[in-house]
């Protein structure tokens, strides 16, 4: 039986969302949390975008150091040869790519304005794929953008050409959230049966079905005899109505009727107890509150008020809860300072900074060797605060103190000189 793996695209689809974004340090923290959860792969950014170069290189360095392991870091770009060439010029150490091109008649006609036909699309994809492999890419996923509005016949032709030219996976994109669980099941199964590659499903929530479509697609892929890769984002943040939410997908795969029995299983163990932490961090970093009724991590996900429910859950939580809050890392009290507060940041000095770092307790506590080291870390903290424009969280401060050289690279921003 095939297995289910998670490819999180928060650092690509999430950050390209209108009105939202993350600093490079925040993107790095997302990768660290994804790694701690056991997510298979992070689509960690845009290798052809100049301001991503330092961030991408720094995260590849973290992978080499063993800090971001075993998470696989993969970059997204258009399936055109120029993008692949630019990618390896700007980020020579990158080894995992996803190449994306539109496959629907709507987009081929509507974007290329009559200059391309289906065979041109396959030709562009194959050229880009071969360029990626020639540059030493270890894995290359090929994405059919707007796959749900593409004929199955052309999707199969596209997927088979990708396989013949050495693609590792094919991504079926429900770019506009047009599928339902019934249609995506059939399409994904047909792709798995006939393309001969593991298949990814990339689902959007325009009709409120991103998570349902993701697990229906995964079921189709496994029934079709391949491994299934589900694309997620933290808190479902993504273009328009968003993507399939990471925590909700994990809950659906492990707890829902028919999936919990073990026939459709995750391919690697995942630590769900990080769910609360990553959801809270992404909410803070994006500046987007978690809806109170969000699965698992919403404020009301384990709240009971009505007499019958409260009485029932007090007698036995299984009466009204499908899973326990502890499993998601919830339940620890959160301390909020209500008295004097010392903050550190872009205009901060050494004594305030030392105070803030001294407040971090336990194994995490930071002890600077000397005043010079503390001053050096503070300087990086100032820059990180300038880029984030909000107070850094404890994990960001700790990251900078632990990996000052990596932090410096993440904070380096030099616009091109024309
Ligand atoms: Zn998308």
């Amino acid at each position: 039986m095939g297995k289910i793996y998670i490819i999180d695209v928060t650092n690509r689809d999430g950050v390209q969302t209108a009105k939202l974004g993350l600093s490079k340090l925040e993107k790095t923290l997302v990768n660290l949390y994804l790694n701690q959860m056991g997510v298979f792969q992070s689509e960690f950014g845009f290798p052809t975008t100049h301001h991503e170069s330092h961030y991408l290189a720094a995260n590849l360095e973290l992978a080499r150091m063993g800090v971001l392991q075993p998470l696989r870091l993969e970059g997204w770009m258009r399936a055109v040869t120029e993008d692949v060439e630019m990618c390896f010029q700007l980020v020579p150490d990158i080894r995992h790519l996803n190449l994306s091109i539109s496959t629907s008649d709507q987009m081929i006609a509507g974007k290329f304005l009559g200059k391309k036909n289906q065979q041109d699309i396959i030709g562009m994809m194959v050229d880009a794929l071969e360029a990626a492999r020639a540059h030493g890419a270890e894995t290359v996923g090929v994405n059919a953008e707007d796959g749900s509005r593409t004929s199955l016949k052309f999707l199969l032709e596209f997927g088979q050409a990708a396989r013949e030219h050495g693609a590792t996976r094919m991504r079926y994109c429900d770019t506009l959230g047009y599928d339902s669980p019934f249609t995506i099941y059939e399409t994904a199964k047909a792709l798995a049966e006939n393309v001969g590659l593991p298949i990814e499903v990339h689902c959007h929530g325009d009709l409120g079905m991103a998570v349902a479509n993701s697990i229906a697609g995964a079921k189709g892929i496994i029934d079709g005899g391949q491994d299934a890769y589900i694309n997620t984002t933290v808190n479902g943040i993504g273009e328009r109505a968003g993507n399939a939410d990471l925590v909700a997908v994990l809950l659906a795969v492990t707890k829902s009727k028919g999936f919990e029995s073990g026939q459709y299983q995750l391919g690697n163990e995942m630590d769900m107890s990080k769910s609360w932490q990553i959801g809270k961090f992404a909410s803070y970093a994006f500046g987007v509150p978690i809806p109170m009724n969000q699965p698992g991590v919403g404020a009301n996900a384990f709240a009971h008020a009505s007499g019958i429910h409260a009485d029932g859950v007090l007698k036995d939580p299984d009466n009204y809860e499908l899973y326990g809050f502890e499993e998601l890392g919830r339940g620890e009290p959160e301390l909020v300072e209500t008295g004097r507060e010392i903050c550190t940041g872009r205009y901060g000095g050494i004594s305030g900074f030392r105070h803030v770092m001294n407040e971090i307790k336990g194994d995490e506590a930071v002890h600077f060797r000397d005043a010079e080291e503390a001053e050096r870390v503070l300087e990086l903290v100032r820059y990180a605060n300038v880029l984030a424009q909000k107070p850094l969280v404890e994990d960001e401060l700790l990251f900078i103190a632990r990996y000052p050289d990596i932090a410096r690279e993440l904070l380096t921003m030099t616009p091109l000189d024309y």
Side-chain angles (χ1 to χ4, degrees):
M1 291 295 280
K3 300 275 191 246
I4 298 172
Y5 298 88
I6 304 295
I7 296 180
D8 189 86
V9 300
T10 306
N11 278 331
R12 199 274 302 170
D13 217 320
V15 299
Q16 76 183 37
T17 304
K19 303 164 203 167
L20 299 181
L22 296 178
S23 76
K24 306 309 181 194
L25 178 58
E26 289 164 343
K27 292 185 77 168
T28 304
L29 267 279
V30 168
N31 290 329
L32 287 166
Y33 293 135
L34 293 173
N35 185 52
Q36 288 167 13
M37 284 184 88
V39 166
F40 175 77
Q41 179 166 308
S42 170
E43 188 154 280
F44 74 143
F46 304 86
T48 60
T49 302
H50 285 89
H51 63 70
E52 290 269 90
S53 300
H54 287 291
Y55 151 78
L56 296 169
N59 277 257
L60 291 170
E61 179 61 20
L62 286 170
R64 259 193 304 277
M65 290 160 64
V67 178
L68 276 180
Q69 284 288 351
L71 180 71
R72 182 182 282 183
L73 299 171
E74 158 260 312
W76 181 97
M77 70 209 68
R78 297 177 304 169
V80 293
T81 309
E82 305 97 271
D83 275 23
V84 174
E85 297 295 339
M86 174 77 89
C87 160
F88 282 96
Q89 199 184 317
L90 293 177
V91 194
D93 293 337
I94 201 160
R95 286 294 168 268
H96 306 285
L97 309 181
N98 265 64
L99 309 178
S100 183
I101 195 162
S102 311
T103 53
S104 65
D105 288 345
Q106 163 66 41
M107 286 199 181
I108 295 173
K111 289 167 86 169
F112 297 109
L113 304 174
K115 296 193 198 93
K116 303 276 180 213
N117 61 29
Q118 288 185 337
Q119 292 318 306
D120 298 327
I121 295 295
I122 289 182
M124 288 162 73
M125 177 273 287
V126 165
D127 288 348
L129 176 54
E130 288 189 334
R133 295 185 63 220
H135 277 287
E138 288 166 28
T139 72
V140 186
V142 169
N143 305 358
E145 190 195 18
D146 206 15
S148 52
R149 294 194 298 176
T150 304
S151 72
L152 181 60
K153 180 172 170 291
F154 183 58
L155 281 176
L156 294 177
E157 206 181 319
F158 180 85
Q160 284 155 2
R163 190 200 62 222
E164 280 159 22
H165 291 86
T168 316
R169 284 185 308 277
M170 174 180 176
R171 177 179 298 178
Y172 170 78
C173 303
D174 182 19
T175 306
L176 269 66
Y178 173 54
D179 260 313
S180 76
F182 313 104
T183 54
I184 198 171
Y185 174 84
E186 295 298 338
T187 307
K189 184 162 180 271
L191 290 174
E193 282 170 344
N194 298 297
V195 170
L197 286 176
I199 304 292
E200 293 181 34
V201 280
H202 179 94
C203 300
H204 277 272
D206 299 74
L207 298 176
M209 294 189 283
V211 174
N213 285 344
S214 297
I215 69 162
K219 183 178 190 297
I221 295 161
I222 290 172
D223 290 350
Q226 293 287 345
D227 284 333
Y229 292 77
I230 297 179
N231 286 187
T232 62
T233 63
V234 184
N235 299 338
I237 287 172
E239 295 267 23
R240 306 179 313 281
N243 293 59
D245 169 44
L246 169 66
V247 172
V249 163
L250 289 174
L251 287 169
V253 166
T254 54
K255 312 282 185 192
S256 69
K257 197 170 178 178
F259 272 73
E260 92 286 19
S261 60
Q263 197 183 352
Y264 303 97
Q265 281 188 336
L266 291 168
N268 62 288
E269 205 172 317
M270 299 210 43
D271 185 357
M272 296 282 290
S273 75
K274 302 287 180 202
S275 301
W276 180 243
Q277 189 183 27
I278 195 170
K280 292 277 283 187
F281 176 74
S283 166
Y284 178 75
F286 276 112
V288 177
I290 297 175
M292 107 190 310
N293 58 347
Q294 181 87 354
V297 295
N300 268 5
F302 299 94
H304 308 276
S306 81
I308 292 170
H309 283 236
D311 178 62
V313 87
L314 287 168
K315 284 176 175 146
D316 179 356
D318 286 353
N319 284 331
Y320 284 103
E321 289 175 359
L322 203 51
Y323 45 89
F325 60 83
E326 306 88 345
E327 296 176 58
L328 304 180
R330 294 182 72 150
E332 290 293 315
E334 283 180 347
L335 297 176
V336 178
E337 186 55 69
T338 60
R340 177 178 300 122
E341 203 176 351
I342 304 293
C343 301
T344 188
R346 52 199 179 279
Y347 303 115
I350 195 70
S351 102
F353 175 63
R354 281 200 172 244
H355 175 84
V356 169
M357 295 309 277
N358 285 336
E359 292 289 291
I360 300 173
K361 299 279 188 279
D363 326 336
E364 308 284 6
V366 177
H367 305 286
F368 295 114
R369 271 194 310 273
D370 47 33
E372 201 179 313
E373 190 189 23
E375 187 62 58
R376 182 168 177 247
V377 173
L378 168 59
E379 181 66 353
L380 295 167
V381 166
R382 291 188 186 114
Y383 272 78
N385 182 237
V386 168
L387 292 173
Q389 287 296 309
K390 54 179 156 324
L392 302 187
V393 302
E394 201 171 284
D395 281 349
E396 289 175 294
L397 294 170
L398 289 169
F399 179 86
I400 295 171
R402 266 186 214 133
Y403 309 110
D405 294 336
I406 298 284
R408 175 181 300 282
E409 183 158 21
L410 289 170
L411 300 170
T412 302
M413 283 276 159
T414 314
L416 285 183
D417 196 5
Y418 287 104

